[in-house]
Amino acid sequence: AVAAAAADSSSSSLAAAAAKAQKPAPKVKTDLRLLERETNLFDTDSSKEFPKFVAWMKNKNLTLERLWHILDNDKSMSINKREFVQGLANLNYKGDLDRLWSLIDRDASGSVRFMEFAPEAGLELALFKRWADQHFGNAKKMFAAFDSDKSGSVTW
């Protein structure tokens, strides 16, 4: 039924396509509550660099996802220390970038993947992708089903 809604997008509306899905999409949290919970993982951070980073993100109205997209220039879903330091310097982060990197690169591999940067947000995004795959075939087809006027964007 969902595939039919996607195929007949000229007459379907956002509400009709959404009604075709059997289960609601999982809620994806895009605020800093997830990051604040993770500050508990850094109790050994005597410099308190991570809480400073969280406060800076709040002040800049940045979410983990938005910051990740800024830092991950090549969209590889992995950033190295150079990308991280350069990106945050460009955003005028004034904290200790070396210390912050050592806290974020939890496995000391020299690179950070999105799941390491924001594990809870990464899991929620993976659940959302699975939902889109199950009900529409993939995320691109889901957006096509919701783009009833073929404008290339979805509006509410």
Side-chain angles (χ1 to χ4, degrees), residues 26 92-93 107 124 138 145:
N92 296 316
Y93 181 72
D107 62 1
E124 291 199 25
N138 60 43

Side-chain angles (χ1 to χ4, degrees), residues 18-148:
K20 299 287 183 183
Q22 297 172 354
K23 295 180 186 176
K27 185 179 180 204
V28 177
K29 296 177 186 175
T30 57
D31 58 42
L32 290 173
R33 288 179 286 181
L34 297 173
L35 186 59
E36 288 172 331
R37 277 190 242 146
E38 289 191 7
T39 60
N40 295 331
L41 298 173
F42 301 100
D43 288 342
T44 61
D45 178 18
S46 60
S47 69
K48 302 298 180 202
E49 191 61 42
F50 200 75
K52 289 177 195 174
F53 177 64
V54 172
W56 174 83
M57 284 186 62
K58 282 182 176 180
N59 187 47
K60 292 278 194 179
N61 292 316
L62 285 171
T63 63
L64 287 172
E65 296 85 355
R66 267 191 259 156
L67 180 59
W68 180 264
H69 286 290
I70 292 168
L71 298 177
D72 185 19
N73 290 324
D74 62 1
K75 306 304 178 215
S76 64
M77 294 303 287
S78 179
I79 57 173
N80 59 37
K81 185 175 181 179
R82 182 192 51 77
E83 287 175 294
F84 180 79
V85 169
Q86 184 177 12
L88 286 178
N90 289 343
L91 292 169
N92 296 316
Y93 181 72
K94 302 296 183 196
D96 183 344
L97 291 168
D98 288 326
R99 176 71 179 139
L100 185 58
W101 175 258
S102 70
L103 293 168
I104 291 175
D105 183 14
R106 296 174 188 167
D107 62 1
S109 66
S111 66
V112 174
R113 300 203 45 83
F114 184 68
M115 287 295 290
E116 189 177 2
F117 185 75
E120 288 187 36
L123 178 60
E124 291 199 25
L125 288 171
L127 290 172
F128 179 77
K129 182 186 180 315
R130 185 176 73 186
W131 174 84
D133 290 351
Q134 288 173 342
H135 295 285
F136 295 91
N138 60 43
K140 188 174 182 177
K141 290 178 183 176
M142 178 195 70
F143 283 105
F146 291 156
D147 183 16
S148 59

